[in-house]
Amino acid sequence: MSDYLPFELQVQIIKRLPVKPVLQFRSVSKRWKALIDSSEFIAAHSVGHTQLNRLLSIFAKQDIDPTLFGLPKLYKDYGLSKPYKDLRVVGSSQGLLCLYDSYRDESLDKSGITMAVLWNPSIRKSVRIVVPGVLHWRFLHTVLGFGVSPITSDPTIVKITNLGMDMKSKASVEIEVFTLSTGIWSVPSSKLPDKPVSVTWSREAIDKFIYWFGYYPLDDYSDGLGENKLIMSFDMITQEISLIDLPNCFTHQSSSKFSISKVRGSHALVEYSTTNNEKQDCVVWMMNHGVPVSFTKLFTINTPYALINILGFMKSGGPIMETHDEFGEPTAFVFYEPGSKDFKYTSFYSDYGSFFVDSYMETLLLLDQPDSSVYPIVN
């Protein structure tokens, strides 16, 4: 091909190929390798290349043995060689996963540091990001969000520190943003919410926005039950921060807990409640975009379980969940069909809270990064 086609046309052809052959073509010539390894080509391939999303599922126990649908169990072969103690998946976006863990790294800090990891299983590469100033107290705590802008292909981590209501400052949250293109943490110039808010770990990335579920605390010791609910959004392009107040039907429901997800590309709100016989039910709502914001009830799930957690949704709109009973059995990985109301069980079992599900696509993102590099650069 290289002997007969202009190089510009070669570029356009390679840009349309899947990730695996593109990686193989890096060995054809130095010119092709320089092209494919360039940040401009990687961004163009990520933005312009379309493919069907696949289901990605991870489970992690104390000894960290994740399983990815379609990938081998031994994730160390996919670019993660560091030991992790308490793995948490922050999110998946545009083919990258963001993991979060605290572990001792004596090469950086004698007392141990908090790290986030950007991981691309498709190309077996990861980079690490130092997360500064993390708080773990009940009312003074830190949550993260992750997304890759479909416009710029720039991986973005947002750190939100909930300050509680007893602070002298008007702001109830502090926000810092890390973008891989800059390699540093910075404070966005956009205005912080002028209302007292508390943001939870329930989050989702849709298009160019990262969203978190939150609420307006009534006092210093509020835990989000029975209060006005909201969704906070962060625009990865403009870095604008916005609050979306949820309808009155969700406020002051002291017996319910909520999380956000996405179904068919739209916001989903999941409402959990405990029945009189100590079983957990949930209602799935989908946001109707417009002013004012409203939600449509999709279905109610009546379960025989003490605990359930909806992890995501299939293309059909049916939820994927983890279920746990009161007898101490391992947590089950379950598919639910709203039409038939059937629970379809898999052979996957783990600890409650250790499953993660999202859509996944292959990408070249991180190909131009030194493997296992650390940001910000530590001298």
Side-chain angles (χ1 to χ4, degrees), residues 119-153:
W119 178 31
N120 185 342
S122 299
I123 63 172
R124 298 171 171 84
K125 183 168 286 190
S126 64
V127 299
R128 295 177 289 157
I129 296 96
V130 178
V131 184
V134 172
L135 300 178
H136 296 289
W137 303 329
R138 182 179 180 187
F139 302 109
L140 302 175
H141 63 279
T142 301
V143 301
L144 299 180
F146 169 71
V148 177
S149 168
I151 299 173
T152 65
S153 297

mmCIF file of all heavy atoms in Angstrom, residues 119-153:
data_model
loop_
_atom_site.group_PDB
_atom_site.id
_atom_site.type_symbol
_atom_site.label_atom_id
_atom_site.label_comp_id
_atom_site.label_asym_id
_atom_site.label_seq_id
_atom_site.Cartn_x
_atom_site.Cartn_y
_atom_site.Cartn_z
ATOM 1 N N TRP A 119 -6.279 3.534 32.941
ATOM 2 C CA TRP A 119 -5.906 2.215 32.420
ATOM 3 C C TRP A 119 -6.591 1.972 31.081
ATOM 4 O O TRP A 119 -7.812 2.138 30.966
ATOM 5 C CB TRP A 119 -6.312 1.152 33.434
ATOM 6 C CG TRP A 119 -6.029 -0.268 33.027
ATOM 7 C CD1 TRP A 119 -5.021 -0.713 32.246
ATOM 8 C CD2 TRP A 119 -6.783 -1.412 33.427
ATOM 9 N NE1 TRP A 119 -5.080 -2.083 32.127
ATOM 10 C CE2 TRP A 119 -6.156 -2.543 32.840
ATOM 11 C CE3 TRP A 119 -7.903 -1.603 34.228
ATOM 12 C CZ2 TRP A 119 -6.637 -3.832 33.024
ATOM 13 C CZ3 TRP A 119 -8.377 -2.889 34.408
ATOM 14 C CH2 TRP A 119 -7.747 -3.990 33.821
ATOM 15 N N ASN A 120 -5.806 1.585 30.084
ATOM 16 C CA ASN A 120 -6.340 1.187 28.787
ATOM 17 C C ASN A 120 -6.006 -0.282 28.565
ATOM 18 O O ASN A 120 -4.894 -0.616 28.154
ATOM 19 C CB ASN A 120 -5.749 2.043 27.662
ATOM 20 C CG ASN A 120 -6.384 1.740 26.316
ATOM 21 O OD1 ASN A 120 -7.015 0.707 26.126
ATOM 22 N ND2 ASN A 120 -6.213 2.651 25.369
ATOM 23 N N PRO A 121 -6.956 -1.204 28.832
ATOM 24 C CA PRO A 121 -6.671 -2.638 28.650
ATOM 25 C C PRO A 121 -6.376 -2.995 27.198
ATOM 26 O O PRO A 121 -5.658 -3.968 26.943
ATOM 27 C CB PRO A 121 -7.961 -3.319 29.127
ATOM 28 C CG PRO A 121 -8.679 -2.299 29.951
ATOM 29 C CD PRO A 121 -8.313 -0.974 29.369
ATOM 30 N N SER A 122 -6.905 -2.244 26.233
ATOM 31 C CA SER A 122 -6.732 -2.579 24.817
ATOM 32 C C SER A 122 -5.275 -2.520 24.382
ATOM 33 O O SER A 122 -4.838 -3.301 23.532
ATOM 34 C CB SER A 122 -7.550 -1.628 23.941
ATOM 35 O OG SER A 122 -8.926 -1.715 24.226
ATOM 36 N N ILE A 123 -4.521 -1.577 24.956
ATOM 37 C CA ILE A 123 -3.120 -1.417 24.558
ATOM 38 C C ILE A 123 -2.170 -1.764 25.704
ATOM 39 O O ILE A 123 -0.972 -1.512 25.619
ATOM 40 C CB ILE A 123 -2.839 0.012 24.056
ATOM 41 C CG1 ILE A 123 -3.062 1.041 25.175
ATOM 42 C CG2 ILE A 123 -3.709 0.345 22.855
ATOM 43 C CD1 ILE A 123 -2.616 2.439 24.794
ATOM 44 N N ARG A 124 -2.733 -2.298 26.812
ATOM 45 C CA ARG A 124 -1.928 -2.762 27.946
ATOM 46 C C ARG A 124 -1.057 -1.645 28.521
ATOM 47 O O ARG A 124 0.141 -1.803 28.722
ATOM 48 C CB ARG A 124 -1.044 -3.946 27.527
ATOM 49 C CG ARG A 124 -1.817 -5.162 27.063
ATOM 50 C CD ARG A 124 -0.894 -6.208 26.459
ATOM 51 N NE ARG A 124 -1.588 -7.455 26.199
ATOM 52 C CZ ARG A 124 -2.288 -7.697 25.099
ATOM 53 N NH1 ARG A 124 -2.407 -6.753 24.173
ATOM 54 N NH2 ARG A 124 -2.884 -8.854 24.927
ATOM 55 N N LYS A 125 -1.682 -0.522 28.794
ATOM 56 C CA LYS A 125 -0.923 0.614 29.309
ATOM 57 C C LYS A 125 -1.716 1.332 30.396
ATOM 58 O O LYS A 125 -2.950 1.417 30.331
ATOM 59 C CB LYS A 125 -0.566 1.588 28.187
ATOM 60 C CG LYS A 125 0.291 2.770 28.640
ATOM 61 C CD LYS A 125 0.865 3.538 27.462
ATOM 62 C CE LYS A 125 1.983 2.786 26.800
ATOM 63 N NZ LYS A 125 2.711 3.625 25.807
ATOM 64 N N SER A 126 -1.006 1.881 31.376
ATOM 65 C CA SER A 126 -1.638 2.653 32.441
ATOM 66 C C SER A 126 -0.717 3.788 32.867
ATOM 67 O O SER A 126 0.505 3.695 32.716
ATOM 68 C CB SER A 126 -1.966 1.766 33.650
ATOM 69 O OG SER A 126 -0.783 1.246 34.223
ATOM 70 N N VAL A 127 -1.290 4.848 33.398
ATOM 71 C CA VAL A 127 -0.533 5.933 34.014
ATOM 72 C C VAL A 127 -1.159 6.219 35.374
ATOM 73 O O VAL A 127 -2.349 5.984 35.591
ATOM 74 C CB VAL A 127 -0.527 7.213 33.142
ATOM 75 C CG1 VAL A 127 0.124 6.953 31.806
ATOM 76 C CG2 VAL A 127 -1.946 7.741 32.932
ATOM 77 N N ARG A 128 -0.338 6.714 36.287
ATOM 78 C CA ARG A 128 -0.794 6.959 37.652
ATOM 79 C C ARG A 128 -0.828 8.455 37.942
ATOM 80 O O ARG A 128 0.024 9.207 37.476
ATOM 81 C CB ARG A 128 0.128 6.247 38.646
ATOM 82 C CG ARG A 128 0.088 4.737 38.535
ATOM 83 C CD ARG A 128 1.063 4.087 39.486
ATOM 84 N NE ARG A 128 2.450 4.311 39.062
ATOM 85 C CZ ARG A 128 3.491 4.254 39.884
ATOM 86 N NH1 ARG A 128 3.302 4.036 41.172
ATOM 87 N NH2 ARG A 128 4.704 4.440 39.433
ATOM 88 N N ILE A 129 -1.815 8.847 38.741
ATOM 89 C CA ILE A 129 -1.999 10.259 39.094
ATOM 90 C C ILE A 129 -2.062 10.376 40.614
ATOM 91 O O ILE A 129 -2.858 9.687 41.276
ATOM 92 C CB ILE A 129 -3.284 10.836 38.471
ATOM 93 C CG1 ILE A 129 -3.190 10.841 36.944
ATOM 94 C CG2 ILE A 129 -3.544 12.243 38.972
ATOM 95 C CD1 ILE A 129 -3.825 9.657 36.289
ATOM 96 N N VAL A 130 -1.208 11.208 41.170
ATOM 97 C CA VAL A 130 -1.263 11.501 42.599
ATOM 98 C C VAL A 130 -2.489 12.367 42.882
ATOM 99 O O VAL A 130 -2.682 13.402 42.245
ATOM 100 C CB VAL A 130 0.007 12.240 43.055
ATOM 101 C CG1 VAL A 130 -0.084 12.589 44.542
ATOM 102 C CG2 VAL A 130 1.241 11.405 42.767
ATOM 103 N N VAL A 131 -3.329 11.937 43.813
ATOM 104 C CA VAL A 131 -4.522 12.694 44.191
ATOM 105 C C VAL A 131 -4.247 13.379 45.527
ATOM 106 O O VAL A 131 -4.169 12.716 46.563
ATOM 107 C CB VAL A 131 -5.757 11.786 44.296
ATOM 108 C CG1 VAL A 131 -7.003 12.615 44.588
ATOM 109 C CG2 VAL A 131 -5.941 10.977 43.020
ATOM 110 N N PRO A 132 -4.097 14.707 45.536
ATOM 111 C CA PRO A 132 -3.712 15.400 46.775
ATOM 112 C C PRO A 132 -4.914 15.701 47.667
ATOM 113 O O PRO A 132 -6.048 15.828 47.206
ATOM 114 C CB PRO A 132 -3.109 16.705 46.249
ATOM 115 C CG PRO A 132 -3.882 16.975 44.986
ATOM 116 C CD PRO A 132 -4.178 15.624 44.384
ATOM 117 N N GLY A 133 -4.629 15.811 48.957
ATOM 118 C CA GLY A 133 -5.619 16.334 49.905
ATOM 119 C C GLY A 133 -6.889 15.539 50.030
ATOM 120 O O GLY A 133 -7.976 16.110 50.178
ATOM 121 N N VAL A 134 -6.791 14.208 50.014
ATOM 122 C CA VAL A 134 -7.987 13.374 50.121
ATOM 123 C C VAL A 134 -8.437 13.286 51.572
ATOM 124 O O VAL A 134 -7.626 13.046 52.479
ATOM 125 C CB VAL A 134 -7.715 11.967 49.556
ATOM 126 C CG1 VAL A 134 -8.882 11.034 49.825
ATOM 127 C CG2 VAL A 134 -7.434 12.055 48.065
ATOM 128 N N LEU A 135 -9.744 13.466 51.818
ATOM 129 C CA LEU A 135 -10.331 13.365 53.150
ATOM 130 C C LEU A 135 -11.234 12.140 53.212
ATOM 131 O O LEU A 135 -11.920 11.816 52.242
ATOM 132 C CB LEU A 135 -11.147 14.619 53.487
ATOM 133 C CG LEU A 135 -10.391 15.951 53.496
ATOM 134 C CD1 LEU A 135 -11.349 17.101 53.788
ATOM 135 C CD2 LEU A 135 -9.264 15.928 54.510
ATOM 136 N N HIS A 136 -11.256 11.464 54.372
ATOM 137 C CA HIS A 136 -12.042 10.243 54.517
ATOM 138 C C HIS A 136 -13.017 10.316 55.689
ATOM 139 O O HIS A 136 -13.579 9.296 56.076
ATOM 140 C CB HIS A 136 -11.115 9.036 54.703
ATOM 141 C CG HIS A 136 -10.244 8.763 53.517
ATOM 142 N ND1 HIS A 136 -10.733 8.260 52.334
ATOM 143 C CD2 HIS A 136 -8.911 8.915 53.334
ATOM 144 C CE1 HIS A 136 -9.740 8.107 51.471
ATOM 145 N NE2 HIS A 136 -8.627 8.502 52.049
ATOM 146 N N TRP A 137 -13.236 11.501 56.261
ATOM 147 C CA TRP A 137 -14.171 11.608 57.367
ATOM 148 C C TRP A 137 -15.589 11.575 56.830
ATOM 149 O O TRP A 137 -15.835 11.790 55.641
ATOM 150 C CB TRP A 137 -13.923 12.894 58.161
ATOM 151 C CG TRP A 137 -12.523 12.980 58.677
ATOM 152 C CD1 TRP A 137 -11.730 11.936 59.043
ATOM 153 C CD2 TRP A 137 -11.755 14.174 58.861
ATOM 154 N NE1 TRP A 137 -10.497 12.397 59.455
ATOM 155 C CE2 TRP A 137 -10.484 13.771 59.354
ATOM 156 C CE3 TRP A 137 -11.997 15.516 58.667
ATOM 157 C CZ2 TRP A 137 -9.482 14.677 59.654
ATOM 158 C CZ3 TRP A 137 -10.998 16.417 58.967
ATOM 159 C CH2 TRP A 137 -9.768 16.011 59.452
ATOM 160 N N ARG A 138 -16.540 11.356 57.736
ATOM 161 C CA ARG A 138 -17.923 11.174 57.282
ATOM 162 C C ARG A 138 -18.470 12.414 56.606
ATOM 163 O O ARG A 138 -19.067 12.345 55.540
ATOM 164 C CB ARG A 138 -18.811 10.783 58.467
ATOM 165 C CG ARG A 138 -20.261 10.531 58.052
ATOM 166 C CD ARG A 138 -21.119 10.114 59.214
ATOM 167 N NE ARG A 138 -22.494 9.886 58.794
ATOM 168 C CZ ARG A 138 -23.485 9.645 59.625
ATOM 169 N NH1 ARG A 138 -23.257 9.588 60.926
ATOM 170 N NH2 ARG A 138 -24.719 9.458 59.161
ATOM 171 N N PHE A 139 -18.290 13.567 57.222
ATOM 172 C CA PHE A 139 -18.870 14.796 56.691
ATOM 173 C C PHE A 139 -17.827 15.682 56.010
ATOM 174 O O PHE A 139 -18.167 16.697 55.426
ATOM 175 C CB PHE A 139 -19.598 15.578 57.793
ATOM 176 C CG PHE A 139 -20.691 14.771 58.436
ATOM 177 C CD1 PHE A 139 -20.560 14.306 59.730
ATOM 178 C CD2 PHE A 139 -21.837 14.456 57.717
ATOM 179 C CE1 PHE A 139 -21.574 13.553 60.316
ATOM 180 C CE2 PHE A 139 -22.844 13.706 58.293
ATOM 181 C CZ PHE A 139 -22.715 13.249 59.597
ATOM 182 N N LEU A 140 -16.584 15.321 56.108
ATOM 183 C CA LEU A 140 -15.526 16.003 55.378
ATOM 184 C C LEU A 140 -14.824 14.934 54.547
ATOM 185 O O LEU A 140 -13.895 14.275 55.007
ATOM 186 C CB LEU A 140 -14.528 16.677 56.341
ATOM 187 C CG LEU A 140 -15.100 17.711 57.307
ATOM 188 C CD1 LEU A 140 -14.016 18.187 58.259
ATOM 189 C CD2 LEU A 140 -15.678 18.892 56.550
ATOM 190 N N HIS A 141 -15.286 14.733 53.341
ATOM 191 C CA HIS A 141 -14.777 13.615 52.561
ATOM 192 C C HIS A 141 -14.638 13.994 51.092
ATOM 193 O O HIS A 141 -15.203 14.983 50.626
ATOM 194 C CB HIS A 141 -15.681 12.392 52.705
ATOM 195 C CG HIS A 141 -17.071 12.598 52.171
ATOM 196 N ND1 HIS A 141 -18.047 13.245 52.886
ATOM 197 C CD2 HIS A 141 -17.640 12.254 50.979
ATOM 198 C CE1 HIS A 141 -19.160 13.291 52.174
ATOM 199 N NE2 HIS A 141 -18.937 12.699 51.012
ATOM 200 N N THR A 142 -13.874 13.188 50.387
ATOM 201 C CA THR A 142 -13.546 13.443 48.988
ATOM 202 C C THR A 142 -14.196 12.397 48.091
ATOM 203 O O THR A 142 -14.183 11.203 48.410
ATOM 204 C CB THR A 142 -12.020 13.400 48.776
ATOM 205 O OG1 THR A 142 -11.405 14.394 49.605
ATOM 206 C CG2 THR A 142 -11.658 13.665 47.318
ATOM 207 N N VAL A 143 -14.757 12.843 46.978
ATOM 208 C CA VAL A 143 -15.265 11.943 45.952
ATOM 209 C C VAL A 143 -14.612 12.325 44.621
ATOM 210 O O VAL A 143 -14.151 13.457 44.437
ATOM 211 C CB VAL A 143 -16.801 11.999 45.827
ATOM 212 C CG1 VAL A 143 -17.462 11.635 47.148
ATOM 213 C CG2 VAL A 143 -17.271 13.377 45.381
ATOM 214 N N LEU A 144 -14.566 11.383 43.703
ATOM 215 C CA LEU A 144 -13.970 11.606 42.397
ATOM 216 C C LEU A 144 -15.000 11.385 41.291
ATOM 217 O O LEU A 144 -16.016 10.719 41.494
ATOM 218 C CB LEU A 144 -12.777 10.672 42.164
ATOM 219 C CG LEU A 144 -11.587 10.765 43.108
ATOM 220 C CD1 LEU A 144 -10.518 9.769 42.698
ATOM 221 C CD2 LEU A 144 -11.020 12.170 43.162
ATOM 222 N N GLY A 145 -14.709 11.929 40.136
ATOM 223 C CA GLY A 145 -15.456 11.659 38.922
ATOM 224 C C GLY A 145 -14.485 11.572 37.772
ATOM 225 O O GLY A 145 -13.394 12.168 37.815
ATOM 226 N N PHE A 146 -14.855 10.827 36.739
ATOM 227 C CA PHE A 146 -13.941 10.626 35.608
ATOM 228 C C PHE A 146 -14.712 10.634 34.302
ATOM 229 O O PHE A 146 -15.831 10.124 34.217
ATOM 230 C CB PHE A 146 -13.201 9.286 35.744
ATOM 231 C CG PHE A 146 -12.451 8.894 34.496
ATOM 232 C CD1 PHE A 146 -11.304 9.585 34.124
ATOM 233 C CD2 PHE A 146 -12.897 7.866 33.683
ATOM 234 C CE1 PHE A 146 -10.619 9.239 32.965
ATOM 235 C CE2 PHE A 146 -12.209 7.507 32.531
ATOM 236 C CZ PHE A 146 -11.063 8.191 32.175
ATOM 237 N N GLY A 147 -14.094 11.234 33.276
ATOM 238 C CA GLY A 147 -14.664 11.209 31.942
ATOM 239 C C GLY A 147 -13.614 11.563 30.903
ATOM 240 O O GLY A 147 -12.577 12.161 31.218
ATOM 241 N N VAL A 148 -13.874 11.169 29.674
ATOM 242 C CA VAL A 148 -13.054 11.558 28.533
ATOM 243 C C VAL A 148 -13.966 12.316 27.579
ATOM 244 O O VAL A 148 -14.969 11.776 27.119
ATOM 245 C CB VAL A 148 -12.433 10.344 27.823
ATOM 246 C CG1 VAL A 148 -11.632 10.800 26.596
ATOM 247 C CG2 VAL A 148 -11.545 9.563 28.779
ATOM 248 N N SER A 149 -13.625 13.554 27.296
ATOM 249 C CA SER A 149 -14.466 14.360 26.428
ATOM 250 C C SER A 149 -14.511 13.754 25.033
ATOM 251 O O SER A 149 -13.457 13.446 24.450
ATOM 252 C CB SER A 149 -13.940 15.792 26.347
ATOM 253 O OG SER A 149 -14.587 16.492 25.290
ATOM 254 N N PRO A 150 -15.697 13.549 24.453
ATOM 255 C CA PRO A 150 -15.774 13.041 23.083
ATOM 256 C C PRO A 150 -15.317 14.065 22.054
ATOM 257 O O PRO A 150 -15.139 13.733 20.889
ATOM 258 C CB PRO A 150 -17.273 12.733 22.921
ATOM 259 C CG PRO A 150 -17.950 13.649 23.879
ATOM 260 C CD PRO A 150 -17.017 13.772 25.048
ATOM 261 N N ILE A 151 -15.086 15.299 22.478
ATOM 262 C CA ILE A 151 -14.658 16.370 21.567
ATOM 263 C C ILE A 151 -13.136 16.482 21.540
ATOM 264 O O ILE A 151 -12.515 16.564 20.480
ATOM 265 C CB ILE A 151 -15.294 17.709 21.974
ATOM 266 C CG1 ILE A 151 -16.815 17.599 21.900
ATOM 267 C CG2 ILE A 151 -14.796 18.858 21.092
ATOM 268 C CD1 ILE A 151 -17.550 18.814 22.433
ATOM 269 N N THR A 152 -12.505 16.473 22.709
ATOM 270 C CA THR A 152 -11.049 16.664 22.797
ATOM 271 C C THR A 152 -10.284 15.382 23.079
ATOM 272 O O THR A 152 -9.051 15.369 22.960
ATOM 273 C CB THR A 152 -10.720 17.676 23.902
ATOM 274 O OG1 THR A 152 -11.116 17.120 25.174
ATOM 275 C CG2 THR A 152 -11.459 18.989 23.674
ATOM 276 N N SER A 153 -10.960 14.314 23.512
ATOM 277 C CA SER A 153 -10.321 13.047 23.906
ATOM 278 C C SER A 153 -9.335 13.235 25.055
ATOM 279 O O SER A 153 -8.374 12.479 25.196
ATOM 280 C CB SER A 153 -9.605 12.392 22.716
ATOM 281 O OG SER A 153 -10.524 12.055 21.707
#
